Amino acid sequence: MADRHESVLASRLEAIPTRWSLVQQAYATGPQTATAARQALVLRYAKSIRRYVGGMVKNAEDADELAQDVVMRLMKGDFGGADPTRGRFRDLLKTATRNMVHNHWAKSNRRKTADTDLNLVGKEDESDPRWDAEWQANVLDHAWAALKDAERKTPTSPAYTLLKLRAENPDATSDELAEKLSAKTKSPVRADACRQMLRRARLRFAEALVTEIGVGLADPSPARVAEELAALGLLGYVQDFLPSDWASTGELKE
């Protein structure tokens, strides 16, 4: 029984539907499936794309238009022929977005002005801290949303509420945090229980981050997930829960 459990854990990350699979569905499947896949991609990334373009193109109307162009490409399934073996999904979107900004200004035959920062529109293999920051924010937003949704389904496990309280009150003692949680949940919580709940809540959040990172990789193996977490400055959220057998199980532990 234990061997079977370990086998399930080892394949957990590999079983995550990746963004690349959505890209392929958006391009090569029937109309209903394709539409659903495209909408999922847009809902997840439209906001980050717009913020990123807005950082390069200062004119709001131009930024809106360019971001909409990228979003429309997602909606039309234009990335379906992209090769997932060539890199990460976030790099695909970054390159597509930067190229659209570059082409926009090249076609308009404008010189560099305060309206845009073309130094941010470079070659696709260059690092881009601005895009990485947007992607980090995107991953965190969706991890928080996953935690909130889990609490909505299981109100007796208020991981989202407790982590939000900790984030809003970083210097609160265990007694103070327990009091605030008691008021939120309308149920008494002791300080020692609150500490245990906080630890478990942090684990749930770390698991949500691992899942969110995994869906953006063509190879969501534990090693690649850890590498991507580090690249996006998110490893600190997970580090305390990485066991020695992480590479083989892909399972976080308290």
Side-chain angles (χ1 to χ4, degrees):
M1 185 69 175
D3 290 342
R4 179 178 179 276
H5 181 59
E6 289 180 4
S7 176
V8 170
L9 291 174
S11 63
R12 182 177 64 84
L13 284 173
E14 283 76 3
I16 295 173
T18 69
R19 289 299 149 253
W20 283 112
S21 66
L22 278 181
V23 169
Q24 290 158 357
Q25 288 175 25
Y27 178 75
T29 57
Q32 186 172 354
T33 302
T35 298
R38 294 169 189 178
Q39 289 175 344
L41 289 168
V42 170
L43 286 173
R44 252 181 144 76
Y45 302 119
K47 185 185 297 184
S48 293
I49 290 169
R50 175 58 182 84
R51 289 198 303 251
Y52 180 63
V53 173
M56 292 186 288
V57 180
K58 305 307 178 184
N59 181 282
E61 291 185 3
D62 285 349
D64 285 342
E65 180 181 345
L66 288 167
Q68 187 64 27
D69 285 345
V70 180
V71 169
M72 287 304 298
R73 290 191 67 188
L74 284 174
M75 285 299 295
K76 291 191 297 182
D78 284 359
F79 298 131
D83 183 359
T85 65
R86 295 185 60 188
R88 298 166 297 204
F89 180 72
R90 66 180 171 95
D91 291 334
L92 166 70
L93 282 188
K94 177 189 72 174
T95 300
T97 305
R98 292 170 85 173
N99 285 345
M100 281 208 169
V101 174
H102 183 274
N103 291 340
H104 168 77
W105 288 98
K107 288 179 181 178
S108 63
N109 197 28
R110 300 183 186 182
R111 61 184 178 84
K112 293 180 184 179
T113 69
D115 288 333
T116 189
D117 185 354
L118 287 179
N119 291 320
L120 296 174
V121 189
K123 297 178 180 178
E124 63 180 275
D125 59 349
E126 291 179 349
S127 63
D128 189 339
R130 188 186 295 264
W131 178 252
D132 290 349
E134 285 297 342
W135 203 264
Q136 181 198 71
N138 185 281
V139 171
L140 287 169
D141 286 347
H142 285 101
W144 278 113
L147 209 63
K148 186 175 184 178
D149 186 58
E151 181 174 317
R152 180 184 60 80
K153 295 175 180 176
T154 312
T156 54
S157 300
Y160 173 82
T161 297
L162 182 52
L163 276 186
K164 279 295 185 181
L165 285 172
R166 171 50 80 195
E168 294 164 359
N169 304 275
D171 299 322
T173 65
S174 294
D175 286 325
E176 293 168 339
L177 200 60
E179 183 178 350
K180 291 179 183 297
L181 182 61
S182 297
K184 283 281 189 180
T185 61
K186 303 187 186 315
S187 178
V189 180
R190 299 192 314 271
D192 58 341
C194 186
R195 284 193 294 271
Q196 294 175 2
M197 292 169 66
L198 183 60
R199 176 76 177 179
R200 288 194 294 270
R202 291 180 57 225
L203 174 58
R204 299 287 89 80
F205 188 72
E207 290 172 339
L209 283 176
V210 165
T211 298
E212 184 61 30
I213 287 292
V215 299
L217 300 173
D219 167 28
S221 64
R224 287 289 294 113
V225 168
E227 180 183 317
E228 185 73 347
L229 284 166
L232 291 173
L234 296 171
L235 191 58
Y237 291 95
V238 177
Q239 191 75 61
D240 289 348
F241 307 104
L242 286 177
S244 58
D245 60 353
W246 160 255
S248 61
T249 68
E251 181 190 24
L252 301 178
K253 297 179 182 178
E254 283 194 80

